[in-house]
Amino acid sequence: MDNTKEKVKKQFEHAGRNYRDSAIHAKGRDLEWIAEEIGRCPSPLLALDIATGAGHTAFALSRCVRRVVGYDLTPEMLRIAAKEAEQRGIDNVTWAEGDAERLPFPDRLFDVVTCRIAAHHFPRAERAFAEARRVLVPGGRMILVDNYVPEEADELLNRVETLRDPSHFRVRTLSGWTRLLRNAGFSTVTVLRKWETPVVLEEWFQRAKTPAHRQEEALRTLREAPQPTRELLLLHPPAGPAQLILRKGMWIAVR
Ligand SMILES: C[S@@+](CC[C@H](N)C(=O)[O-])C[C@H]1O[C@@H](n2cnc3c(N)ncnc32)[C@H](O)[C@@H]1O
């Protein structure tokens, strides 16, 4: 298995509970936007949530659709998600283990596929998107949510992200994600929303359990960045600690 995927399993075995409890993951407004995008709720649709993590997107979908499959590479994340589902009394989500770049599902099975805050871990995101398209019914929709980076900060932010979490592969620019979806064969690709979520750097490192020496290197990299890049990436509130500006986008891609 690719090196990045081994790193993913190690990282999420190690820090999985933090992702279950993280407000960005558990409570983002984008979970409501995904549900809105499904349209009529409840609906008879079948959904697949790729890289489900602690299951937050699968749980949001479970309120709208008939059945959800929550799919992830890391068995520990699936255990955390399944336990959480049981505690919440959610009984229409099934869990499956595997790689986003090779889906063990037949063609044209799902009405909706989601992938939220995870594709930046995929070494071949275009292959994962092509797989998502393959398992969608004609006219079915993929909803992608992920961080994007302004072109000017591309190299630097990806360097900082990898210092924080070695299983990070690459965040793309807004047009970079759109291009990957188009290249995967989707007929229409639309950026539905863009927003910013500033995160306190210290909390961001804590969530990924970044060792101190790598935190220091990441902070130094940010400190020594050219001023225009620093201004793009950092907020210094008058009261309170420095924050990193994470930019997020939501795409709808139709098969
Ligand atoms: C930040 S979590 C995902 C958050 C989740 N989607 C949510 O909405 O809260 C990232 C997840 O991606 C999974 N992952 C990373 N690479 C993967 C791959 N190639 N195939 C499947 N899952 C993968 C990790 O195991 C981890 O659980």
Side-chain angles (χ1 to χ4, degrees), residues 145-175:
V145 173
D146 215 310
N147 299 342
Y148 71 89
V149 59
E151 199 142 349
E152 308 85 309
D154 190 344
E155 189 276 327
L156 191 117
L157 181 64
N158 274 296
R159 190 145 41 99
V160 169
E161 289 262 19
T162 309
L163 283 166
R164 170 194 178 244
D165 169 358
S167 75
H168 172 90
F169 186 75
R170 186 165 172 206
V171 279
R172 315 283 172 148
T173 59
L174 201 63
S175 60

Side-chain angles (χ1 to χ4, degrees), residues 5-247:
K5 291 175 193 168
E6 285 305 329
K7 287 182 187 164
V8 163
K9 284 190 179 182
K10 206 165 153 203
Q11 173 67 18
F12 286 95
E13 258 159 35
H14 182 56
R17 269 167 223 292
N18 293 356
Y19 287 86
R20 179 195 60 192
D21 302 335
S22 145
I24 288 183
H25 293 81
K27 300 203 181 95
R29 285 170 299 165
D30 50 323
L31 290 174
E32 285 157 39
W33 297 334
I34 289 173
E36 275 169 26
E37 196 50 37
I38 303 291
R40 194 164 53 92
C41 275
S43 79
L45 303 180
L46 179 62
L48 170 67
D49 182 36
I50 294 176
T52 193
H56 300 301
T57 308
F59 301 149
L61 288 167
S62 74
R63 291 192 284 275
C64 285
V65 303
R66 179 170 53 88
R67 178 151 286 280
V68 185
V69 177
Y71 183 77
D72 202 283
L73 187 68
T74 311
E76 177 60 13
M77 291 307 288
L78 290 170
R79 264 193 295 277
I80 291 171
K83 192 164 169 210
E84 189 68 19
E86 201 183 315
Q87 279 169 1
R88 295 189 193 190
I90 296 171
D91 60 4
N92 62 340
V93 184
T94 310
W95 308 101
E97 183 188 328
D99 183 354
E101 295 171 5
R102 212 163 342 116
L103 298 178
F105 306 109
D107 296 359
R108 304 173 180 216
L109 180 63
F110 295 98
D111 304 288
V112 177
V113 172
T114 50
C115 182
R116 175 175 176 258
I117 335 180
H120 57 266
H121 292 285
F122 304 163
R124 285 171 295 262
E126 67 284 6
R127 187 180 290 182
F129 297 162
E131 276 289 88
R133 181 186 173 278
R134 179 182 67 74
V135 301
L136 275 170
V137 297
R141 287 160 296 166
M142 171 167 192
I143 305 175
L144 172 73
V145 173
D146 215 310
N147 299 342
Y148 71 89
V149 59
E151 199 142 349
E152 308 85 309
D154 190 344
E155 189 276 327
L156 191 117
L157 181 64
N158 274 296
R159 190 145 41 99
V160 169
E161 289 262 19
T162 309
L163 283 166
R164 170 194 178 244
D165 169 358
S167 75
H168 172 90
F169 186 75
R170 186 165 172 206
V171 279
R172 315 283 172 148
T173 59
L174 201 63
S175 60
W177 285 122
T178 303
R179 199 165 38 247
L180 287 180
L181 287 164
R182 287 225 172 90
N183 291 348
F186 286 100
S187 62
T188 326
V189 179
T190 313
V191 183
L192 208 66
R193 292 182 185 261
K194 292 186 292 179
W195 68 102
E196 291 180 0
T197 45
V199 286
V200 173
L201 275 160
E202 212 179 305
E203 291 169 11
W204 190 58
F205 289 129
Q206 268 167 17
R207 183 159 60 243
K209 296 196 172 173
T210 313
H213 69 280
R214 288 217 308 266
Q215 289 190 33
E216 277 158 29
E217 195 177 336
L219 290 172
R220 191 172 56 249
T221 305
L222 285 167
R223 235 183 357 255
E224 291 173 0
Q227 192 181 339
T229 313
R230 276 204 317 267
E231 282 174 5
L232 269 176
L233 294 180
L234 291 172
L235 276 181
H236 294 281
Q243 299 178 0
L244 181 70
I245 306 168
L246 292 179
R247 293 170 171 82

